[in-house]
Amino acid sequence: MTLARRSMLATPLLIPATGSAGPAAAQPTGVVMDEALIPGPDGAQLYLRNKRPEAAAPARPDRTLLLVHGATYPASTAFDLPLSGVSWMDYMAGRGFDVWCLDLAGYGRSTRPAGEAGKPPTNGEAAVAQIGAALAHIRQARGVAKCELVGWSWGTSLVARFAADNPALVDRLVLYAPLWLRDPASRGAVPVPEGPLQPYRTVTRASARERWLNGVPADKRGSLLPPGWYEYWADATFATDPEGSRQVPSVLRAPNGVLQDLREYWDAGKPFYDPAKVTVPALLVLGEWDRDTPPAMATTLFPLLTNSPGKRLVMLAEGTHSIMLERNRGALFQAVQVFLEEAFA
């Protein structure tokens, strides 16, 4: 079911690092946005957002991609937040890509399943099935045989698992802030409580900011985010949870299926997917100050991708787990774009 369509702003290669947090007053036109709710495999309604050039060329697998979010925050306010008037989705659409993002069940504008104690909604298996449903919709809508996948944080394990299980449906893979087996130090960033997990956990604005800045040198914290950017992100993100936003102070609810995954897989020394089964080109990219998925995870995972042609690992200076929303986000955008536009044999 299509919700809305409107013209959006195209974006040049250069990404402004400063200026107003919200949409810019004047930029080139030329990008169209669509929104849709599609049926998920478990009865949930899944929210998809699409941006593409208004004068689009015929659909191509290597120019059609799906973005998948991480453990806590929805896709739309991560990948499509127009900081200084330009979001990451705008940037890619401005480069000629047909870009989609998905809110998994329990996040953003998708259905929020009730769940129950001990069986939280949207664990890894359920999320991978939802990604499959989103990709089936995209393939049918565009008439392409396969697409590219971009995952962030926990989303990297989901898209990598889908690519490992469905190599014929994936053109290439971007793992931004890749999750891998967690040691005691990395478990502290996103701890898993003992006992039966409740369906949802809550996050406050203060705790979100504290987690964001964890690992940033004290003398760099003031310049990591231009003025107003954190507040703009928080306003947009917390507004996606109508129930949580009515609380004082406001909170954001996030499904605990990811914590179940951490307990059963990543904290137990058991990968959720086999990297050797990834047979498409893969990019691992992260910020040097990432404490949620620290660089040791990426450097451990990289040599295990034994069958990924043209694989590469890129570490970006002065960025955290959320570098796509920070002053240096342009370095991430360009590193990913170079990989996406490169020709592979």
Side-chain angles (χ1 to χ4, degrees), residues 113-151:
E116 58 184 280
K119 295 182 179 180
T122 317
N123 65 2
E125 297 290 348
V128 171
Q130 292 167 23
I131 291 170
L135 287 174
H137 174 86
I138 294 168
R139 292 197 309 273
Q140 181 178 20
R142 296 294 184 257
V144 293
K146 54 186 176 179
C147 305
E148 301 177 324
L149 285 173
V150 178

mmCIF file of all heavy atoms in Angstrom, residues 113-151:
data_model
loop_
_atom_site.group_PDB
_atom_site.id
_atom_site.type_symbol
_atom_site.label_atom_id
_atom_site.label_comp_id
_atom_site.label_asym_id
_atom_site.label_seq_id
_atom_site.Cartn_x
_atom_site.Cartn_y
_atom_site.Cartn_z
ATOM 1 N N PRO A 113 4.836 -5.610 17.260
ATOM 2 C CA PRO A 113 4.244 -6.824 17.838
ATOM 3 C C PRO A 113 4.266 -6.763 19.362
ATOM 4 O O PRO A 113 5.184 -6.194 19.967
ATOM 5 C CB PRO A 113 5.157 -7.942 17.321
ATOM 6 C CG PRO A 113 5.895 -7.356 16.156
ATOM 7 C CD PRO A 113 6.025 -5.900 16.455
ATOM 8 N N ALA A 114 3.273 -7.376 19.994
ATOM 9 C CA ALA A 114 3.197 -7.336 21.451
ATOM 10 C C ALA A 114 4.331 -8.124 22.095
ATOM 11 O O ALA A 114 4.964 -7.659 23.049
ATOM 12 C CB ALA A 114 1.840 -7.881 21.912
ATOM 13 N N GLY A 115 4.610 -9.313 21.599
ATOM 14 C CA GLY A 115 5.634 -10.143 22.215
ATOM 15 C C GLY A 115 5.204 -10.606 23.596
ATOM 16 O O GLY A 115 4.109 -10.312 24.076
ATOM 17 N N GLU A 116 6.097 -11.322 24.257
ATOM 18 C CA GLU A 116 5.840 -11.779 25.618
ATOM 19 C C GLU A 116 7.164 -12.029 26.314
ATOM 20 O O GLU A 116 8.214 -12.145 25.665
ATOM 21 C CB GLU A 116 4.987 -13.046 25.611
ATOM 22 C CG GLU A 116 5.598 -14.196 24.841
ATOM 23 C CD GLU A 116 4.681 -15.403 24.783
ATOM 24 O OE1 GLU A 116 4.642 -16.152 25.776
ATOM 25 O OE2 GLU A 116 4.011 -15.585 23.754
ATOM 26 N N ALA A 117 7.117 -12.082 27.641
ATOM 27 C CA ALA A 117 8.341 -12.304 28.410
ATOM 28 C C ALA A 117 8.986 -13.621 27.988
ATOM 29 O O ALA A 117 8.325 -14.653 27.888
ATOM 30 C CB ALA A 117 8.030 -12.320 29.903
ATOM 31 N N GLY A 118 10.276 -13.561 27.725
ATOM 32 C CA GLY A 118 11.009 -14.739 27.286
ATOM 33 C C GLY A 118 10.986 -14.966 25.794
ATOM 34 O O GLY A 118 11.759 -15.773 25.281
ATOM 35 N N LYS A 119 10.091 -14.263 25.071
ATOM 36 C CA LYS A 119 10.002 -14.388 23.615
ATOM 37 C C LYS A 119 9.856 -13.003 22.994
ATOM 38 O O LYS A 119 8.790 -12.645 22.479
ATOM 39 C CB LYS A 119 8.834 -15.284 23.221
ATOM 40 C CG LYS A 119 8.979 -16.728 23.662
ATOM 41 C CD LYS A 119 7.810 -17.571 23.185
ATOM 42 C CE LYS A 119 7.959 -19.019 23.602
ATOM 43 N NZ LYS A 119 6.815 -19.854 23.144
ATOM 44 N N PRO A 120 10.896 -12.197 23.051
ATOM 45 C CA PRO A 120 10.785 -10.846 22.494
ATOM 46 C C PRO A 120 10.656 -10.880 20.984
ATOM 47 O O PRO A 120 11.130 -11.816 20.327
ATOM 48 C CB PRO A 120 12.101 -10.190 22.919
ATOM 49 C CG PRO A 120 13.053 -11.335 23.089
ATOM 50 C CD PRO A 120 12.233 -12.483 23.600
ATOM 51 N N PRO A 121 10.004 -9.869 20.408
ATOM 52 C CA PRO A 121 9.797 -9.849 18.952
ATOM 53 C C PRO A 121 11.071 -9.496 18.191
ATOM 54 O O PRO A 121 12.008 -8.903 18.740
ATOM 55 C CB PRO A 121 8.736 -8.768 18.761
ATOM 56 C CG PRO A 121 8.911 -7.859 19.932
ATOM 57 C CD PRO A 121 9.356 -8.724 21.075
ATOM 58 N N THR A 122 11.083 -9.873 16.923
ATOM 59 C CA THR A 122 12.109 -9.473 15.955
ATOM 60 C C THR A 122 13.505 -9.911 16.369
ATOM 61 O O THR A 122 14.416 -9.117 16.538
ATOM 62 C CB THR A 122 12.063 -7.946 15.701
ATOM 63 O OG1 THR A 122 10.711 -7.519 15.581
ATOM 64 C CG2 THR A 122 12.799 -7.590 14.416
ATOM 65 N N ASN A 123 13.660 -11.233 16.540
ATOM 66 C CA ASN A 123 15.018 -11.753 16.665
ATOM 67 C C ASN A 123 15.628 -11.877 15.269
ATOM 68 O O ASN A 123 15.016 -11.502 14.269
ATOM 69 C CB ASN A 123 15.027 -13.083 17.416
ATOM 70 C CG ASN A 123 14.297 -14.197 16.661
ATOM 71 O OD1 ASN A 123 13.808 -14.001 15.550
ATOM 72 N ND2 ASN A 123 14.220 -15.371 17.263
ATOM 73 N N GLY A 124 16.844 -12.401 15.197
ATOM 74 C CA GLY A 124 17.541 -12.432 13.921
ATOM 75 C C GLY A 124 16.821 -13.223 12.845
ATOM 76 O O GLY A 124 16.738 -12.784 11.688
ATOM 77 N N GLU A 125 16.317 -14.393 13.192
ATOM 78 C CA GLU A 125 15.633 -15.216 12.194
ATOM 79 C C GLU A 125 14.416 -14.490 11.630
ATOM 80 O O GLU A 125 14.184 -14.489 10.418
ATOM 81 C CB GLU A 125 15.212 -16.552 12.817
ATOM 82 C CG GLU A 125 16.366 -17.429 13.292
ATOM 83 C CD GLU A 125 17.185 -18.005 12.153
ATOM 84 O OE1 GLU A 125 16.750 -17.921 10.989
ATOM 85 O OE2 GLU A 125 18.272 -18.555 12.429
ATOM 86 N N ALA A 126 13.637 -13.861 12.513
ATOM 87 C CA ALA A 126 12.462 -13.123 12.052
ATOM 88 C C ALA A 126 12.861 -11.934 11.189
ATOM 89 O O ALA A 126 12.229 -11.641 10.170
ATOM 90 C CB ALA A 126 11.635 -12.657 13.258
ATOM 91 N N ALA A 127 13.929 -11.232 11.600
ATOM 92 C CA ALA A 127 14.374 -10.056 10.856
ATOM 93 C C ALA A 127 14.868 -10.431 9.462
ATOM 94 O O ALA A 127 14.593 -9.726 8.487
ATOM 95 C CB ALA A 127 15.470 -9.334 11.632
ATOM 96 N N VAL A 128 15.583 -11.535 9.349
ATOM 97 C CA VAL A 128 16.058 -11.970 8.029
ATOM 98 C C VAL A 128 14.879 -12.303 7.124
ATOM 99 O O VAL A 128 14.888 -11.975 5.926
ATOM 100 C CB VAL A 128 17.015 -13.170 8.167
ATOM 101 C CG1 VAL A 128 17.333 -13.773 6.799
ATOM 102 C CG2 VAL A 128 18.303 -12.757 8.859
ATOM 103 N N ALA A 129 13.847 -12.919 7.669
ATOM 104 C CA ALA A 129 12.649 -13.206 6.872
ATOM 105 C C ALA A 129 11.974 -11.916 6.421
ATOM 106 O O ALA A 129 11.459 -11.826 5.295
ATOM 107 C CB ALA A 129 11.685 -14.065 7.686
ATOM 108 N N GLN A 130 11.973 -10.895 7.281
ATOM 109 C CA GLN A 130 11.392 -9.609 6.900
ATOM 110 C C GLN A 130 12.211 -8.932 5.805
ATOM 111 O O GLN A 130 11.648 -8.318 4.887
ATOM 112 C CB GLN A 130 11.289 -8.711 8.136
ATOM 113 C CG GLN A 130 10.273 -9.205 9.152
ATOM 114 C CD GLN A 130 10.385 -8.517 10.494
ATOM 115 O OE1 GLN A 130 10.900 -7.401 10.599
ATOM 116 N NE2 GLN A 130 9.923 -9.178 11.543
ATOM 117 N N ILE A 131 13.523 -9.044 5.875
ATOM 118 C CA ILE A 131 14.375 -8.524 4.799
ATOM 119 C C ILE A 131 14.044 -9.236 3.491
ATOM 120 O O ILE A 131 13.962 -8.613 2.418
ATOM 121 C CB ILE A 131 15.858 -8.695 5.162
ATOM 122 C CG1 ILE A 131 16.229 -7.758 6.312
ATOM 123 C CG2 ILE A 131 16.757 -8.429 3.951
ATOM 124 C CD1 ILE A 131 17.593 -8.025 6.908
ATOM 125 N N GLY A 132 13.825 -10.536 3.564
ATOM 126 C CA GLY A 132 13.443 -11.281 2.369
ATOM 127 C C GLY A 132 12.146 -10.766 1.767
ATOM 128 O O GLY A 132 12.024 -10.652 0.538
ATOM 129 N N ALA A 133 11.177 -10.431 2.624
ATOM 130 C CA ALA A 133 9.908 -9.903 2.127
ATOM 131 C C ALA A 133 10.107 -8.538 1.477
ATOM 132 O O ALA A 133 9.518 -8.242 0.424
ATOM 133 C CB ALA A 133 8.906 -9.800 3.284
ATOM 134 N N ALA A 134 10.937 -7.689 2.094
ATOM 135 C CA ALA A 134 11.196 -6.370 1.519
ATOM 136 C C ALA A 134 11.887 -6.490 0.169
ATOM 137 O O ALA A 134 11.538 -5.786 -0.794
ATOM 138 C CB ALA A 134 12.050 -5.544 2.482
ATOM 139 N N LEU A 135 12.861 -7.378 0.064
ATOM 140 C CA LEU A 135 13.580 -7.544 -1.200
ATOM 141 C C LEU A 135 12.678 -8.132 -2.283
ATOM 142 O O LEU A 135 12.806 -7.783 -3.459
ATOM 143 C CB LEU A 135 14.804 -8.427 -0.987
ATOM 144 C CG LEU A 135 15.961 -7.768 -0.228
ATOM 145 C CD1 LEU A 135 17.060 -8.777 0.056
ATOM 146 C CD2 LEU A 135 16.521 -6.591 -1.022
ATOM 147 N N ALA A 136 11.774 -9.020 -1.902
ATOM 148 C CA ALA A 136 10.827 -9.554 -2.885
ATOM 149 C C ALA A 136 9.958 -8.440 -3.436
ATOM 150 O O ALA A 136 9.681 -8.385 -4.648
ATOM 151 C CB ALA A 136 9.970 -10.646 -2.239
ATOM 152 N N HIS A 137 9.518 -7.533 -2.564
ATOM 153 C CA HIS A 137 8.725 -6.384 -3.016
ATOM 154 C C HIS A 137 9.541 -5.514 -3.968
ATOM 155 O O HIS A 137 9.035 -5.078 -5.014
ATOM 156 C CB HIS A 137 8.284 -5.567 -1.798
ATOM 157 C CG HIS A 137 7.585 -4.292 -2.145
ATOM 158 N ND1 HIS A 137 6.221 -4.224 -2.383
ATOM 159 C CD2 HIS A 137 8.063 -3.020 -2.316
ATOM 160 C CE1 HIS A 137 5.890 -2.979 -2.669
ATOM 161 N NE2 HIS A 137 6.983 -2.226 -2.636
ATOM 162 N N ILE A 138 10.791 -5.243 -3.613
ATOM 163 C CA ILE A 138 11.638 -4.379 -4.443
ATOM 164 C C ILE A 138 11.908 -5.038 -5.798
ATOM 165 O O ILE A 138 11.829 -4.382 -6.848
ATOM 166 C CB ILE A 138 12.957 -4.071 -3.703
ATOM 167 C CG1 ILE A 138 12.671 -3.231 -2.451
ATOM 168 C CG2 ILE A 138 13.937 -3.344 -4.629
ATOM 169 C CD1 ILE A 138 13.860 -3.119 -1.513
ATOM 170 N N ARG A 139 12.233 -6.325 -5.785
ATOM 171 C CA ARG A 139 12.519 -7.011 -7.052
ATOM 172 C C ARG A 139 11.308 -6.982 -7.965
ATOM 173 O O ARG A 139 11.430 -6.777 -9.174
ATOM 174 C CB ARG A 139 12.956 -8.459 -6.783
ATOM 175 C CG ARG A 139 14.301 -8.590 -6.101
ATOM 176 C CD ARG A 139 14.865 -10.003 -6.239
ATOM 177 N NE ARG A 139 13.908 -11.018 -5.834
ATOM 178 C CZ ARG A 139 13.746 -11.462 -4.590
ATOM 179 N NH1 ARG A 139 14.478 -10.942 -3.613
ATOM 180 N NH2 ARG A 139 12.871 -12.412 -4.309
ATOM 181 N N GLN A 140 10.130 -7.177 -7.388
ATOM 182 C CA GLN A 140 8.916 -7.152 -8.205
ATOM 183 C C GLN A 140 8.623 -5.744 -8.706
ATOM 184 O O GLN A 140 8.261 -5.549 -9.874
ATOM 185 C CB GLN A 140 7.731 -7.682 -7.395
ATOM 186 C CG GLN A 140 6.432 -7.719 -8.194
ATOM 187 C CD GLN A 140 5.287 -8.304 -7.386
ATOM 188 O OE1 GLN A 140 5.331 -8.353 -6.173
ATOM 189 N NE2 GLN A 140 4.254 -8.754 -8.082
ATOM 190 N N ALA A 141 8.799 -4.746 -7.833
ATOM 191 C CA ALA A 141 8.502 -3.363 -8.216
ATOM 192 C C ALA A 141 9.435 -2.868 -9.309
ATOM 193 O O ALA A 141 9.038 -2.085 -10.171
ATOM 194 C CB ALA A 141 8.593 -2.454 -6.988
ATOM 195 N N ARG A 142 10.682 -3.308 -9.277
ATOM 196 C CA ARG A 142 11.676 -2.797 -10.220
ATOM 197 C C ARG A 142 12.022 -3.777 -11.333
ATOM 198 O O ARG A 142 12.734 -3.420 -12.273
ATOM 199 C CB ARG A 142 12.961 -2.418 -9.459
ATOM 200 C CG ARG A 142 12.758 -1.289 -8.463
ATOM 201 C CD ARG A 142 12.430 0.010 -9.191
ATOM 202 N NE ARG A 142 12.322 1.130 -8.256
ATOM 203 C CZ ARG A 142 11.186 1.663 -7.844
ATOM 204 N NH1 ARG A 142 10.037 1.168 -8.284
ATOM 205 N NH2 ARG A 142 11.179 2.670 -6.999
ATOM 206 N N GLY A 143 11.599 -5.013 -11.215
ATOM 207 C CA GLY A 143 11.894 -5.989 -12.254
ATOM 208 C C GLY A 143 13.356 -6.373 -12.312
ATOM 209 O O GLY A 143 13.900 -6.624 -13.402
ATOM 210 N N VAL A 144 14.019 -6.411 -11.145
ATOM 211 C CA VAL A 144 15.433 -6.807 -11.098
ATOM 212 C C VAL A 144 15.537 -8.166 -10.420
ATOM 213 O O VAL A 144 14.707 -8.535 -9.584
ATOM 214 C CB VAL A 144 16.287 -5.773 -10.342
ATOM 215 C CG1 VAL A 144 16.336 -4.461 -11.117
ATOM 216 C CG2 VAL A 144 15.775 -5.537 -8.919
ATOM 217 N N ALA A 145 16.591 -8.904 -10.764
ATOM 218 C CA ALA A 145 16.772 -10.245 -10.209
ATOM 219 C C ALA A 145 17.417 -10.222 -8.836
ATOM 220 O O ALA A 145 17.238 -11.153 -8.041
ATOM 221 C CB ALA A 145 17.616 -11.091 -11.164
ATOM 222 N N LYS A 146 18.179 -9.171 -8.547
ATOM 223 C CA LYS A 146 18.865 -9.084 -7.248
ATOM 224 C C LYS A 146 19.128 -7.625 -6.916
ATOM 225 O O LYS A 146 18.949 -6.728 -7.766
ATOM 226 C CB LYS A 146 20.165 -9.885 -7.264
ATOM 227 C CG LYS A 146 21.127 -9.535 -8.391
ATOM 228 C CD LYS A 146 22.310 -10.499 -8.370
ATOM 229 C CE LYS A 146 23.248 -10.248 -9.539
ATOM 230 N NZ LYS A 146 24.414 -11.183 -9.500
ATOM 231 N N CYS A 147 19.556 -7.382 -5.673
ATOM 232 C CA CYS A 147 19.786 -6.024 -5.189
ATOM 233 C C CYS A 147 21.068 -5.996 -4.356
ATOM 234 O O CYS A 147 21.640 -7.040 -4.017
ATOM 235 C CB CYS A 147 18.622 -5.547 -4.315
ATOM 236 S SG CYS A 147 16.992 -5.641 -5.058
ATOM 237 N N GLU A 148 21.480 -4.794 -4.020
ATOM 238 C CA GLU A 148 22.589 -4.607 -3.092
ATOM 239 C C GLU A 148 22.041 -4.411 -1.685
ATOM 240 O O GLU A 148 20.935 -3.903 -1.500
ATOM 241 C CB GLU A 148 23.436 -3.404 -3.513
ATOM 242 C CG GLU A 148 24.009 -3.563 -4.909
ATOM 243 C CD GLU A 148 24.788 -2.353 -5.383
ATOM 244 O OE1 GLU A 148 24.381 -1.222 -5.053
ATOM 245 O OE2 GLU A 148 25.787 -2.555 -6.084
ATOM 246 N N LEU A 149 22.826 -4.817 -0.676
ATOM 247 C CA LEU A 149 22.398 -4.720 0.716
ATOM 248 C C LEU A 149 23.410 -3.922 1.526
ATOM 249 O O LEU A 149 24.619 -4.137 1.404
ATOM 250 C CB LEU A 149 22.254 -6.116 1.325
ATOM 251 C CG LEU A 149 21.030 -6.929 0.917
ATOM 252 C CD1 LEU A 149 21.130 -8.351 1.465
ATOM 253 C CD2 LEU A 149 19.753 -6.265 1.411
ATOM 254 N N VAL A 150 22.888 -3.007 2.358
ATOM 255 C CA VAL A 150 23.706 -2.233 3.279
ATOM 256 C C VAL A 150 23.127 -2.421 4.673
ATOM 257 O O VAL A 150 21.939 -2.155 4.899
ATOM 258 C CB VAL A 150 23.721 -0.732 2.924
ATOM 259 C CG1 VAL A 150 24.556 0.052 3.933
ATOM 260 C CG2 VAL A 150 24.234 -0.512 1.501
ATOM 261 N N GLY A 151 23.941 -2.900 5.614
ATOM 262 C CA GLY A 151 23.490 -3.069 6.987
ATOM 263 C C GLY A 151 24.326 -2.230 7.925
ATOM 264 O O GLY A 151 25.504 -1.977 7.661
#
